[in-house]
Each structure stands twice: as structure tokens, then as C-alpha cells.
Amino acid sequence: ILTLVLGFVIVVLSFIFLYATHRGTGFYVIAFLLIWFPLEAVVLKYTPTELYSIVKYTPECIAYFLALAGWFSYMRRTGNLLPSTPLNWPIALFFVISFISLVINWYAPSTWFFGVRQLLRFVPIAFYFLFAKFPIYRIRQLVVIGVIMMGVEVGIGIFQYISYGSLDGYLYASDSVTVGSQAFLSGTEQFWQPGQRVFATLGHYQRLASFLMVGILMFFGWIQTPQMYNKTKKWAIFAFVIAGLGLLLSYARSSWIATIIGMFAISLFLIQDKQTVRRMITITTVAAFLILTLGLVRGQVTGILDKPSLSFSERALEAVSFRSCTESYEGYGRFFFIV
């Protein structure tokens, strides 16, 4: 009981502190989180079990408290519940669908809560940017920190690839952990061949790919902006190519597809550059034709399944393999997984 009371007091005091000082400390908290979250998985791998819950959840709670403090400050300052943003309706729809899922499947509400939290853990930070309205020079500083972290992750990932996975044993966290005798966090199995699907310090190739996807779309927007200085554009092109290489080496198909869709959306709806859209359609069509032709020649289009060692073309073709669509995900098939 004493531990719970002390924990509650710490939570309340932390929130009051962040509420009172968030306009001054918010930038430094966000900068810390930008550095922390990419390194979180590898730090937790070497964290003693008795400290695991503290190390894992403290930075996340700080992020939530900061967003909550910014929200209260925003409501007091403007009298509005939320700023008008395109994020509002998709997130509201997400909660409606997730609640329907809870009612239909009727599993434990705590499971539902932690599942939603896992999917939306970074969304409050996006809203905090809207609440805080950082000056442009602060935004630039945060972007620089983010780009540096992407460079670190890509560098580690490339070294993983060229060293045939010699770093994987030091970076991949597969151990299971019991937190507070209540929550059991199961480890994950590295089923792929070491060095083939790079993940750097993020613990899984899908996480690295999602991280790089955000950077690639940001760099792509800079490259397509006419007002951007030529020197900045050259650096953006270089960063785009390096991050793109890291994304390809991750073998994460969903992030490949999301990146292509994102670049189409930026060109078509934001920049409205039809010439770039036509070029992207041509490049995507030619690449898909070459991969499909290679699969037909090897007879792999319909029968390929995910396995520990896949070539780049095989990984791409596995997305349209009939056998993969019906037999993957422990025999349930991809269609079941999507639904």
C-alpha cells in the first residue's frame, strides 16, 4: 500500500511539474524521447529484471504526462477541446472500431486498453506539438536530432547486413520478462537468417522500417519543395537514398508499400506535381514487372512461403503468392490476418 501511495504521489507531482513548466521543458523532453525510443529495445535487453518496468514505462509515462499537461494548458488558453486537425476524425474512428472489437470479441478490458496503448503510444506526442506550438527553430533542432538517430540506425543496419548478422545476438531481445508478477511480456523469435532483415537497435525489422519510412517521406517532401535551397536539397537526396537503402534491407514489405503510397500522396495532394506522379508510376510499374517476370521464370509466383532466407525478389513476390495468402500466419492465411 505504501508503494502505491508513493507511486501516486510521484505521478501527481510529476504531472503538476510538467503542467507548470511544459512550455520550457517540453522541447528537452521531446528531444530525450527522440533519442530514447530508438534505443529502448537494446537498453531493455541489458536491463536487470527488477528494474525492467521502471526503465520501460517511465519514459512512456513522461510522454503521456507531457501531452496531458499540454492539453490542459491548451484548453485553458483557448477554451477549445482540441485543435482542428486532420488527425481528429481518423483517431476517433479508430477508437470506435476498437470499441466494437472489444464488444464483439469480449476479451478482458485490460487487454483491450494495453493493446490500444501499444498502437497509439506515440500519437499524444503529435498532439502535443499542436498544443505547444514550438517556434520554427525548435522544430528544426528536433528534426536534426531525428535525422541523426536515423543515420545511426541505418549505419548499424548496414553493418548488420555486411557482417552477416554478427551483431544480431547483441541487439535482438528474445527473452521473456514478468513485470510485477502481473504482466508477462513474451520474447519474440528471430525466425529469419541473421543479417538478412536488419533491425539495428529497434528490436525488430518492422520497427526499423516504420522509423525510416517517416524519415523517407520527410526527405521526399523536402526534395519536392521548390522553395528549398539547393544545398539543403542535396543533403535531403543523400539522406533519402541512405534511408531508402536501410528500408530495403529491412525486408519489411508493409513499409515498402506504405512509403510508395505516402510519396504518391505527397506528390498528388500536397505538392500537386503530376510529372513526379507519372515518373513514380513508371518506376513502380517497371519494378513490379521485372520482379513478377523473375518470379514467373523461377516458378515462384504462386507457391512461395515466408522462410528464414529469402532473396529480395522472393520477399516481394511472397506478398502475392497464393500459397502465402492461404497458409501463412500459422495456417490461418493472410486474408484472415487482414480481416
Side-chain angles (χ1 to χ4, degrees):
I1 295 176
L2 179 60
T3 302
L4 291 175
V5 171
L6 288 175
F8 178 75
V9 171
I10 291 172
V11 166
V12 172
L13 292 177
S14 299
F15 175 74
I16 293 173
F17 172 76
L18 287 173
Y19 178 74
T21 65
H22 78 91
R23 295 185 69 85
T25 60
F27 166 80
Y28 299 101
V29 173
I30 298 296
F32 164 74
L33 295 176
L34 267 174
I35 297 170
W36 165 255
F37 281 122
L39 303 176
E40 179 187 45
V42 73
V43 172
L44 290 174
K45 176 180 174 66
Y46 298 100
T47 298
T49 305
E50 59 271 17
L51 299 176
Y52 190 92
S53 57
I54 297 174
V55 176
K56 178 174 176 62
Y57 294 113
T58 298
E60 193 169 326
C61 289
I62 290 173
Y64 297 150
F65 290 158
L66 182 67
L68 198 60
W71 183 35
F72 284 176
S73 176
Y74 172 83
M75 288 191 293
R76 188 190 65 180
R77 192 171 65 250
T78 65
N80 298 324
L81 182 64
L82 287 172
S84 179
T85 166
L87 286 173
N88 295 351
W89 283 108
I91 292 176
L93 182 61
F94 172 86
F95 274 109
V96 170
I97 294 173
S98 63
F99 182 75
I100 292 173
S101 172
L102 172 64
V103 173
I104 293 175
N105 295 289
W106 202 246
Y107 43 80
S110 59
T111 303
W112 176 85
F113 174 80
F114 284 108
V116 169
R117 160 246 160 216
Q118 178 65 26
L119 292 172
L120 297 181
R121 61 193 298 225
F122 300 120
V123 172
I125 295 299
F127 276 99
Y128 179 73
F129 276 92
L130 299 174
F131 300 147
K133 291 188 176 180
F134 287 125
I136 189 65
Y137 78 93
R138 287 299 198 192
I139 298 293
R140 287 173 179 161
Q141 290 172 342
L142 291 173
V143 168
V144 169
I145 294 172
V147 170
I148 291 173
M149 292 307 299
M150 286 180 196
V152 170
E153 297 298 329
V154 172
I156 295 173
I158 292 175
F159 188 80
Q160 273 184 282
Y161 182 77
I162 63 177
S163 64
Y164 299 100
S166 61
L167 287 180
D168 288 15
Y170 301 99
L171 299 175
Y172 195 79
S174 58
D175 297 331
S176 299
V177 178
T178 301
V179 179
S181 72
Q182 297 293 324
F184 178 75
L185 305 178
S186 60
T188 55
E189 179 186 357
Q190 186 180 355
F191 61 87
W192 60 90
Q193 182 176 324
Q196 185 165 81
R197 304 181 190 187
V198 302
F199 51 88
T201 66
L202 281 98
H204 197 276
Y205 64 92
Q206 294 282 13
R207 296 176 197 163
L208 174 64
S210 299
F211 184 51
L212 295 180
M213 176 191 67
V214 174
I216 289 171
L217 294 179
M218 180 176 65
F219 300 141
F220 182 78
W222 291 349
I223 294 168
Q224 296 299 315
T225 302
Q227 296 86 357
M228 192 67 67
Y229 296 115
N230 288 332
K231 185 176 180 180
T232 306
K233 273 192 177 182
K234 290 177 181 178
W235 279 107
I237 292 171
F238 174 75
F240 178 87
V241 172
I242 297 299
L245 176 61
L247 180 64
L248 290 175
L249 293 179
S250 72
Y251 275 50
R253 279 192 318 256
S254 57
S255 294
W256 294 350
I257 296 170
T259 301
I260 293 172
I261 293 174
M263 289 193 292
F264 271 114
I266 289 172
S267 300
L268 193 60
F269 299 112
L270 295 181
I271 302 175
Q272 298 181 345
D273 186 351
K274 294 182 179 179
Q275 185 178 2
T276 301
V277 173
R278 285 194 292 268
R279 289 174 183 169
M280 289 179 59
I281 291 174
T282 302
I283 293 171
T284 305
T285 303
V286 170
F289 175 77
L290 291 175
I291 292 173
L292 188 60
T293 302
L294 182 61
L296 287 170
V297 170
R298 295 182 176 181
Q300 296 172 324
V301 175
T302 59
I304 191 170
L305 269 175
D306 196 8
K307 55 185 180 180
S309 179
L310 287 174
S311 67
F312 178 81
S313 59
E314 288 173 335
R315 180 65 176 155
L317 286 169
E318 196 247 332
V320 295
S321 165
F322 177 77
R323 188 181 175 194
S324 179
C325 289
T326 56
E327 298 181 20
S328 59
Y329 296 101
E330 299 181 355
Y332 288 97
R334 182 172 289 112
F335 294 124
F336 176 87
F337 174 77
I338 293 173
V339 173

